[in-house]
Amino acid sequence: MSGTSRSNGAENSGSSGLDRVREEIGQYLVAKAGSLVSAAADKVSRLSEEGGASGLGAKIAQGESPAKAVGGEVVEGVKDKVKATLGGGGGGGKAGDKKVTNIVEVLDVGLPLRLVYDHWTEFEEFSGFMKGVVSASRSEDDETVSDWTLKVGPSKRSWEATVLEQIPDERITWTSKGERATTHGSISFHELAPSLTRIVVVVEYTPGGFFEKTGNLWRAQGRRLRLDLKHFQRYVTLGAEEEPEGWRGEIRDGELVRSHEEVLAEDEYDDEGEYEDEEPAEEEQEEEEEEEQEPERGR
């Protein structure tokens, strides 16, 4: 009996000790939680006073969940970092801070210079074989102006291009302005041989929109231009079924000085003049031969 009583007493003593430990741990956790809540409340109050309505503390104080508030702050931080990396964003950046890409490409085409030039001036056909051109058309009211729709990343952008100088078979200089970017460029044509023409393209590209700036960061515009030039080379060499008439107008200082029709008429006149110059030379040679033969007949 006495052994049983001692055993029960020990069990009760051990059980009460464990209960006391549990109770102490519970009280400690409750006190710690209360302390954390009080500290958090003080932090929220201080952040609200310091940061105003836009601060993290204010968002929590206004009933927004802590996770959502913190997540929003992280997103804003990443967004600001991206803007700083890409040279600003929206209207906050200065014009001088914009990143400008200079693109230079050289391409040799195995065709006569005039034929290559005429193909290039028929840019309305570009959308049929260039991946970056959706559509292009020359203005009916002003032949120095053309409207373009181009692909920039997953989006499409509209441009208005203005030719500043265009000398047939030599060079074209233009500027273009879109909603999200601007360009200034020149393309020149050089005869290396009777059936070999070199094209040199120089473009200064200034991005404005998010996709444009992202593409600018990875030099996507240079790669796009390079690929489209290769498409042009392949098309004019292998794909074109008809010889182009081209657009032969001449533009200087942004003004049309000779229309397409005027240049064609002058070219036709020059060709006829050369033919007419050849005829008198042939007639004179025949007369000289006849004069030489007459003395021989008299003998």
Side-chain angles (χ1 to χ4, degrees), residues 10-295:
E11 290 179 359
N12 291 336
S13 176
S15 176
S16 61
L18 182 60
D19 289 341
R20 289 188 60 188
V21 170
R22 289 175 178 171
E23 183 178 353
E24 292 292 337
I25 292 175
Q27 292 176 356
Y28 171 79
L29 292 176
V30 169
K32 188 67 176 176
S35 176
L36 290 175
V37 169
S38 178
D42 293 340
K43 182 72 172 179
V44 168
S45 177
R46 187 169 63 257
L47 287 174
S48 298
E49 294 174 357
E50 294 177 356
S54 60
L56 174 63
K59 292 181 180 179
I60 298 175
Q62 292 171 1
E64 189 171 328
S65 70
K68 186 175 180 180
V70 172
E73 291 296 316
V74 171
V75 170
E76 289 297 325
V78 172
K79 191 175 179 181
D80 292 340
K81 195 170 184 179
V82 170
K83 286 183 179 180
T85 302
L86 297 176
K94 296 181 180 179
D97 296 333
K98 292 183 178 179
K99 302 297 182 180
V100 176
T101 298
N102 294 307
I103 304 169
V104 180
E105 294 294 336
V106 179
L107 181 72
D108 293 337
V109 182
L111 292 172
L113 185 149
R114 175 162 181 163
L115 188 58
V116 174
Y117 176 85
D118 287 345
H119 270 298
W120 186 268
T121 59
E122 292 190 347
F123 53 78
E124 294 90 345
E125 306 295 329
F126 284 3
S127 60
F129 55 87
M130 287 187 178
K131 301 297 184 181
V133 180
V134 178
S135 65
S137 61
R138 195 185 310 274
S139 172
E140 297 180 357
D141 300 327
D142 186 352
E143 291 182 303
T144 67
V145 177
S146 56
D147 297 314
W148 297 70
T149 301
L150 306 177
K151 289 182 180 178
V152 179
S155 302
K156 296 178 182 179
R157 296 286 188 263
S158 296
W159 305 67
E160 182 180 87
T162 302
V163 177
L164 305 177
E165 184 179 47
Q166 182 162 349
I167 311 301
D169 301 329
E170 292 186 19
R171 64 186 176 276
I172 303 171
T173 302
W174 76 90
T175 182
S176 65
K177 186 176 182 180
E179 182 182 355
R180 306 288 178 87
T182 59
T183 66
H184 184 78
S186 177
I187 178 171
S188 56
F189 303 82
H190 311 268
E191 184 179 67
L192 303 181
S195 294
L196 182 61
T197 302
R198 172 163 292 176
I199 300 175
V200 180
V201 183
V202 181
V203 179
E204 183 182 80
Y205 181 89
T206 306
F210 176 78
F211 288 117
E212 287 82 359
K213 287 185 177 182
T214 305
N216 183 55
L217 182 64
W218 298 103
R219 298 298 185 265
Q221 284 75 22
R223 291 196 298 271
R224 179 73 274 161
L225 177 60
R226 190 179 307 118
L227 290 173
D228 280 343
L229 284 174
K230 290 184 179 296
H231 290 315
F232 174 80
Q233 181 188 45
R234 182 168 56 249
Y235 171 77
V236 300
T237 305
L238 303 174
E241 298 179 355
E242 298 181 359
E243 187 170 313
E245 179 180 333
W247 190 82
R248 308 290 301 174
E250 182 176 343
I251 299 171
R252 294 183 183 272
D253 297 326
E255 298 291 336
L256 182 67
V257 296
R258 291 196 300 165
S259 68
H260 169 69
E261 292 75 16
E262 289 173 342
V263 175
L264 287 182
E266 291 176 10
D267 291 345
E268 185 177 353
Y269 176 80
D270 291 340
D271 293 339
E272 290 178 355
E274 292 178 1
Y275 178 73
E276 290 174 356
D277 291 340
E278 291 175 358
E279 287 184 347
E282 293 177 356
E283 292 176 358
E284 290 177 2
Q285 185 176 0
E286 290 176 358
E287 291 176 359
E288 290 176 359
E289 292 176 354
E290 289 178 358
E291 290 176 358
E292 291 177 357
Q293 292 175 0
E294 284 180 359

